Amino acid sequence: MKKYLFIGTFVLMAVAGCKPSATHDDLVIIDVKASHPEKELALQSLMEVEYVPLETTDEFVTQGDVLAVGDKYMVVKNWVNDGDIFIFDRQTGKGIRKWNRRGQGDEEYTYINGVVLDENAGEIFVNCSPTKKVLVYDLSGTFKRSFNLPEGVEALAIYHYDADNLMLYDMSVYYDEGKARSKPYYHLIISKQNGEVQKGIALPFGIVKAPYVQKGDAVAVASVCPIVPCGDDWLLVETSTDTVYSYRTAGNELHPFLAKKPTADPEVLLTMGVVTERYWFMQTVEKEFDFTTGRGFPLGWLVYDKQESELYEPVVHNADYEGQEVDLISHPLNNAKVAAFQVLPANQLVEAYENDKLQGRLKEIAARLEEESNPVIMLMKYL
């Protein structure tokens, strides 16, 4: 039996200015193995920053794993699989309600692999990968319905597509490493009501290149997110091709967006981060893993400057927090206005406050925190 070790490198991108290249001649080519100069950037010059201190009470104690951000609400869980779902006010961080439907019943989830918040419908969709089901609840946690994923589909994440549909990626393709593709498409749009496939989006490739390293029966997997919300449109990433595609909802149009130079020994995968009108943030993942030490998949960071048509290694600073490293890769959001979030632990903020390393709104928030308080969520919004 194969043993799978999943390494958390889920990366999403929520973007503005995300437009397909007009022709193949215009396509930006990314050399992921070359050395690139460093470029320092101030977060506040790229994004509008909003700090949301999550209220701390006896009932509302959370590690701050943000699942979804809407206009009114923020949905949060703990990093551990305890099943708790917290709903906070998006503007104030005040705890609104907490519920838990973890269990083995028909109306319960065994694991939370992802959540979609539909504020207009007042619904929360919980993706439960072990049971290959999506369970739908109202904002109070009352069960409404559930449906199975399409037959043979494995999805570790789902996304809000429109009022009636979800988008997902079928990760069962990874089982065909080194073989010819076995399905016509792996990006799917499914109904929010019953999970039926409404549309399949076929990306061109022949042989499967899965993001994992195998040694005997042991397999280490670096999960590269294949779907990137992009306003009303999407970027689609497929590790079996060197091209990232733009999918335009209007007209069902698929266009090349960028491409990386082919790589080998080791293969280097390219994932996407936040994209603004000027800057495209990316991350590289090398397909190398040491099963003796349990370490591997070395990461690298890149940014493409559209204005200069140059590639750099980015260093992004938060002007409100001296010494803070800003992550524009790891926690993007399925929200057209908010690009990404970052968790700021309370104990670190208290220490930074005492050492006079904070300013502005963040300093005011930290002055009221205790070391055991819930974290502050930094939301990075497009200008």
Side-chain angles (χ1 to χ4, degrees), residues 48-63:
E48 180 184 349
V49 180
E50 177 183 338
Y51 300 107
V52 183
L54 301 183
E55 181 185 28
T56 307
T57 66
D58 291 341
E59 181 181 6
F60 288 88
V61 177
T62 178
Q63 297 165 332

Side-chain angles (χ1 to χ4, degrees), residues 54-315:
L54 301 183
E55 181 185 28
T56 307
T57 66
D58 291 341
E59 181 181 6
F60 288 88
V61 177
T62 178
Q63 297 165 332
D65 181 10
V66 177
L67 296 169
V69 173
D71 294 332
K72 299 178 181 178
Y73 306 113
M74 184 182 299
V75 183
V76 178
K77 72 174 184 65
N78 293 318
W79 297 105
V80 296
N81 182 37
D82 59 8
D84 284 346
I85 289 181
F86 303 84
I87 299 180
F88 292 90
D89 184 276
R90 153 71 189 281
Q91 303 301 324
T92 66
K94 181 177 177 57
I96 296 176
R97 60 184 62 92
K98 168 189 171 183
W99 45 273
N100 189 320
R101 300 303 303 269
R102 181 172 177 242
Q104 302 293 327
D106 291 339
E107 299 182 0
E108 298 172 319
Y109 45 81
T110 60
Y111 199 89
I112 303 172
N113 290 97
V115 157
V116 169
L117 170 65
D118 187 336
E119 287 185 334
N120 291 332
E123 294 182 335
I124 289 179
F125 297 76
V126 176
N127 178 35
C128 181
S129 184
T131 60
K132 299 182 182 180
K133 292 176 63 175
V134 174
L135 300 100
V136 188
Y137 305 90
D138 67 17
L139 300 183
S140 298
T142 301
F143 177 80
K144 298 187 68 174
R145 65 186 179 279
S146 68
F147 52 84
N148 295 322
L149 292 175
E151 185 176 358
V153 169
E154 295 191 19
L156 293 181
I158 57 176
Y159 309 90
H160 173 83
Y161 182 75
D162 59 24
D164 301 314
N165 301 294
L166 303 168
M167 180 181 272
L168 60 83
Y169 177 74
D170 180 6
M171 292 185 176
S172 69
V173 64
Y174 294 167
Y175 301 134
D176 292 333
E177 163 70 10
K179 302 176 183 178
R181 62 188 300 163
S182 59
K183 298 180 181 180
Y185 50 78
Y186 297 93
H187 291 81
L188 296 82
I189 298 170
I190 66 171
S191 166
K192 285 183 177 179
Q193 294 300 315
N194 55 27
E196 291 184 356
V197 177
Q198 305 300 301
K199 184 182 300 183
I201 307 169
L203 271 59
F205 71 91
I207 303 301
V208 175
K209 293 190 296 184
Y212 69 68
V213 176
Q214 182 173 0
K215 183 178 182 181
D217 289 336
V219 180
V221 183
S223 297
V224 178
C225 186
I227 298 178
V228 176
C230 192
D232 292 329
D233 301 321
W234 305 82
L235 291 184
L236 306 182
V237 178
E238 170 59 69
T239 58
S240 297
T241 174
D242 292 326
T243 304
V244 175
Y245 288 87
S246 170
Y247 175 72
R248 309 196 71 178
T249 305
N252 188 28
E253 298 176 355
L254 190 67
H255 299 268
F257 181 75
L258 61 77
K260 71 176 179 71
K261 287 187 175 181
T263 58
D265 302 321
E267 178 77 33
V268 179
L269 307 176
L270 182 69
T271 68
M272 302 299 297
V274 169
V275 169
T276 69
E277 289 288 349
R278 177 171 175 177
Y279 295 106
W280 302 353
F281 289 88
M282 294 164 277
Q283 185 180 68
T284 60
V285 183
E286 292 187 22
K287 283 185 63 173
E288 284 191 330
F289 191 85
D290 188 330
F291 289 91
T292 303
T293 63
R295 301 175 66 87
F297 299 120
L299 304 177
W301 287 265
L302 296 172
V303 64
Y304 178 71
D305 186 334
K306 287 180 62 180
Q307 181 172 305
E308 298 179 4
S309 299
E310 294 288 345
L311 200 62
Y312 298 95
E313 293 185 12
V315 179

